Amino acid sequence: MSAGAGRRARELTASARARWRELLAGELRHFASLHRSDRPWEMPVAAALASGLPIFIGAACGELGLGLVASLGGLVFLYLPATRLSHRMAWLMACAFGMTGCYALGLLGHLFPLLLVPLLAVTSIVVTMVCRFYASPPPGSLFFVMAAAIGAYSPAHGRAALVQVGALTLGCVLAVAIAFVYSLHIVSRRGVPAPSPAPDPEFGFVVLDSVVIGGFVGLSLLVAQALQLERPYWVPVSCLAIIQGASLRAAWVRQLHRIVGTALGLLVFLAIAQFPLDAWSVAGVLTALTLVIETLVVRHYLLATVFITPLTILLAEAAQLPVLASQAIMRARLVDTVVGAVIGLAGAACLHSPRFRAAVDAVLRRVLPNGAE
């Protein structure tokens, strides 16, 4: 090899290393950057009350499992918009109805196991369409799909399933009541927010995106079943959390944050599980976790995910306290997160591909009746 060729090879190697260092530095900046939050401090407190109070009630009645289900309904508080009071309450009551319906549809999967994948996919499509048509801010369709997925893998059957639907409905009602009191306080303190412009829903954003997102959510559950993952409700949730990124870059960053945050969150869960947990301590821990999450989530997604992981494990598994600290649960959650995040990133790549979008758009416009868009 000549001296000139060797020098050129060294320059290319040095250039490649510099690009990799710049890429790594950019990723580290994303991990380290904190965002400003315009949330009033009362909002995380009210959200923690909406999620934690049902568990305390369940503990007092000796029904921790039903309290946890009702706490899942309390997540509807997070859909409270910053609008005038009448619109806030009407929208939140509609979300409460949707949350109850999604959980009930998930429970129907016990009756028709073969329909579970298409059921979750269609649920994801419909709720994503609704959230996008009405310009719902984050978390978008995430918690509706999570309710359906947890319901699908809940051990309740028959009459017990109906009781759980009732418990979740009561949790939603309590969250709406807390939201009403919170809204009265915030509106009196901050005034009525200026009305936002009416949304102008576009076919690609509302219909096309929703179909692709729902398709990949269903695919993620299908892959989880093919891998024989036990109660893999977290796979479609992780997939949806990633694929909803505003751009492919945002989806990539969120995937990294979710995987790293889940791994760290499992350590937090392991530390929590070392303490003797009873119904009252589970209620206190979940309330505290919700408060921390809602304080952090708008500032740093990775840090919030660290606490989201133990919260979701406790919500889904704390009714079985003797096996709560099982290493199998921790391994399953990490595997579920990685599988869902990878499929979600693949879905985001398709979602932001002009060629893929054009192909799906053409198919949808042929399938839908004239004027449906």
Side-chain angles (χ1 to χ4, degrees):
M1 180 183 293
S2 65
R7 185 171 58 253
R8 178 62 177 165
R10 287 192 296 272
E11 290 175 353
L12 290 175
T13 302
S15 176
R17 288 176 178 172
R19 286 197 298 270
W20 276 107
R21 282 196 298 268
E22 182 180 352
L23 179 62
L24 181 59
E27 298 299 336
L28 290 176
R29 281 195 297 270
H30 276 290
F31 275 91
S33 60
L34 290 172
H35 305 288
R36 293 178 59 86
S37 172
D38 59 351
R39 282 183 171 181
W41 66 266
E42 296 94 335
M43 189 273 173
V45 173
L49 186 62
S51 290
L53 188 56
I55 311 176
F56 281 108
I57 295 173
C61 297
E63 294 286 352
L64 177 61
L66 292 180
L68 292 167
V69 174
S71 176
L72 183 61
L75 294 175
V76 78
F77 176 89
L78 301 178
Y79 288 92
L80 185 66
T83 56
R84 66 187 187 278
L85 187 60
S86 58
H87 179 268
R88 283 177 184 236
M89 303 318 299
W91 172 252
L92 203 62
M93 285 187 285
C95 289
F97 175 80
M99 187 77 78
T100 304
C102 287
Y103 186 73
L105 284 174
L107 288 172
L108 284 178
H110 294 294
L111 301 177
F112 309 102
L114 293 178
L115 296 180
L116 183 56
V117 171
L119 189 68
L120 192 64
V122 171
T123 300
S124 179
I125 291 172
V126 172
V127 295
T128 303
M129 280 186 184
V130 172
C131 289
R132 290 187 169 224
F133 183 85
Y134 289 103
S136 173
S141 57
L142 181 64
F143 289 133
F144 296 105
V145 174
M146 187 173 85
I150 291 179
Y153 289 94
S154 168
H157 295 81
R159 181 177 299 178
L162 295 178
V163 173
Q164 288 198 353
V165 173
L168 185 130
T169 303
L170 291 175
C172 290
V173 171
L174 180 61
V176 171
I178 292 172
F180 178 69
V181 176
Y182 165 80
S183 297
L184 287 176
H185 169 70
I186 289 299
V187 169
S188 66
R189 223 188 93 201
R190 295 195 167 193
V192 179
S196 302
D200 184 18
E202 188 265 330
F203 179 82
F205 178 72
V206 175
V207 178
L208 190 154
D209 285 8
S210 300
V211 171
V212 173
I213 289 171
F216 273 92
V217 168
L219 176 63
S220 68
L221 184 57
L222 190 63
V223 170
Q225 291 181 345
L227 294 175
Q228 297 183 345
L229 301 180
E230 185 179 359
R231 296 179 66 189
Y233 54 86
W234 199 243
V235 175
V237 176
S238 295
C239 174
L240 182 60
I242 302 303
I243 199 174
Q244 286 192 132
S247 64
L248 183 57
R249 171 64 179 166
W252 167 257
V253 172
R254 180 162 285 210
Q255 177 204 227
L256 291 179
H257 283 206
R258 195 163 192 88
I259 293 175
V260 175
T262 298
L264 296 175
L266 288 174
L267 298 179
V268 175
F269 168 72
L270 183 61
I272 293 172
Q274 301 310 305
F275 294 93
L277 295 175
D278 58 11
W280 292 100
S281 57
V282 167
V285 168
L286 282 171
T287 303
L289 287 173
T290 304
L291 179 63
V292 173
I293 291 166
E294 293 310 314
T295 302
L296 290 176
V297 70
V298 293
R299 293 180 168 89
H300 199 285
Y301 184 70
L302 187 152
L303 291 178
T305 305
V306 171
F307 298 96
I308 289 172
T309 299
L311 179 136
T312 52
I313 294 176
L314 287 170
L315 272 178
E317 310 288 350
Q320 306 168 27
L321 285 174
V323 298
L324 189 57
S326 169
Q327 292 185 359
I329 292 178
M330 299 176 63
R331 285 195 301 269
R333 176 50 52 87
L334 184 58
V335 172
D336 291 351
T337 299
V338 172
V339 172
V342 170
I343 296 175
L345 183 63
C350 293
L351 196 62
H352 297 287
S353 167
R355 182 176 298 179
F356 182 87
R357 293 180 65 86
V360 176
D361 184 88
V363 172
L364 289 176
R365 291 184 185 274
R366 282 200 301 268
V367 171
L368 293 175
N370 292 333
E373 67 270 18

